Amino acid sequence: MNNIMEIDLSKRLEIKINNKKPVGLEDLSLSLLAFNHQFHKFVESEANKETDISSELLIKEVRSGSIIVELISHAAPIVPLLWEGGSLAQWSKIAQEICGWLLGKTEKPPKELTKQDLQDWNKFVEPVAKDNGSQMNINVSDNGKVIQQFIINSTEANAMQNRIGNLISDLDTPEGNVHTRKVMYWYQAKFDQNSDTGNRAIIDDLSKSALKVIFDNNAVKDEMLHPDPKFGKPWHELAYVVDVEVETVRGKPKMYKVLRYYPEYTFDPEAE
């Protein structure tokens, strides 16, 4: 197969910033770098892993007047077969859908976004967000004919950044939920009373998955790991009634913190 990269000059993506104030060089550079990074991730994730495709955007021309940056992409012979209209048009469509989602126009983004992705989109709209009354036009053309276009004004850019800030905050902040008197049994235990590492338990009422367990204080831990000898079984083979705080990330339970243990309710889960 021919893996020689060629530059497709017929298809171009133009980013035009109708600015009211001078745009900082750093803001413009970071904006373009963030856009290029997202385009790169898009092409790499969509293309066949065995296909050698360059996904770097190249600056074709920077024109005077408003800030107009014309971008082109590398193209291998197989690239036009992946997307109708080429990678630039397809990427512009995805970018427009992501912006629409950040503006609350749709319930779900067209692709899952990481914290880094959100930070990239924050940088991309920064030159417009800080310049009241400005706007950014994104156009894709094929042989001079516009085939894809969308616009982001300063009000929308600010709204996008506010949404991004909230989304990143949600990703960084685990949610805590306290549940009282729940039956917990051990799925895996390290059998080391001096360490919580490796201890995982199941609380069927809260999650069918085995989650990591930590203890709120050493007194609760010590009491729980020394049950009444009448059971004739080691502590990790018994079931317990506990108060727990469930730590969640993105709405999914990730860890149990045992707050209180009710020794009178301890039982052998295998006993009839």
Side-chain angles (χ1 to χ4, degrees), residues 17-223:
I17 300 177
N18 295 318
N19 53 305
K20 301 298 182 181
K21 301 176 182 178
V23 177
L25 178 60
E26 182 178 3
D27 288 339
L28 179 60
S29 299
L30 291 176
S31 175
L32 295 176
L33 285 171
F35 192 78
N36 179 66
H37 181 240
Q38 287 300 304
F39 175 77
H40 174 88
K41 286 189 66 175
F42 162 71
V43 173
E44 295 296 316
S45 65
E46 293 292 321
N48 188 306
K49 301 301 181 183
E50 298 178 357
T51 303
D52 186 12
I53 295 179
S54 173
S55 54
E56 181 182 16
L57 289 174
L58 306 175
I59 295 178
K60 171 64 169 60
E61 185 179 355
V62 178
R63 300 201 292 275
S64 60
S66 297
I67 298 174
I68 303 174
V69 181
E70 198 170 88
L71 305 172
I72 53 179
S73 68
H74 278 113
I78 196 174
V79 172
L81 301 178
L82 298 175
W83 305 284
E84 183 180 356
S87 59
L88 289 178
Q90 184 65 25
W91 167 237
S92 177
K93 179 182 177 182
I94 296 295
Q96 183 177 11
E97 290 174 353
I98 290 174
C99 292
W101 172 69
L102 289 171
L103 289 170
K105 296 179 180 179
T106 58
E107 291 186 8
K108 296 182 180 180
K111 58 191 291 290
E112 185 175 351
L113 300 180
T114 65
K115 180 179 178 180
Q116 179 61 58
D117 294 332
L118 292 169
Q119 290 171 334
D120 277 346
W121 286 105
N122 190 78
K123 293 174 185 175
F124 176 58
V125 300
E126 177 70 7
V128 180
K130 62 171 32 176
D131 185 2
N132 188 36
S134 64
Q135 70 177 31
M136 179 185 290
N137 299 349
I138 296 92
N139 302 311
V140 176
S141 61
D142 187 354
N143 287 314
K145 179 182 178 181
V146 175
I147 59 175
Q148 187 75 28
Q149 180 184 56
F150 68 99
I151 299 171
I152 302 170
N153 61 40
S154 58
T155 301
E156 291 173 327
N158 276 287
M160 288 171 62
Q161 288 192 330
N162 289 335
R163 175 79 185 280
I164 288 169
N166 291 332
L167 289 169
I168 290 177
S169 178
D170 289 343
L171 291 176
D172 288 342
T173 307
E175 302 171 1
N177 299 287
V178 175
H179 299 267
T180 60
R181 303 200 178 202
K182 296 296 181 181
V183 175
M184 183 181 84
Y185 58 94
W186 294 97
Y187 172 82
Q188 171 186 307
K190 191 177 179 181
F191 313 129
D192 182 355
Q193 297 182 13
N194 296 316
S195 174
D196 292 330
T197 304
N199 296 335
R200 302 178 72 83
I202 296 175
I203 299 178
D204 287 329
D205 278 356
L206 304 179
S207 174
K208 300 302 180 183
S209 300
L211 305 183
K212 179 181 178 181
V213 175
I214 62 173
F215 295 86
D216 186 50
N217 58 69
N218 287 331
V220 171
K221 179 179 179 179
D222 185 68
E223 185 178 21

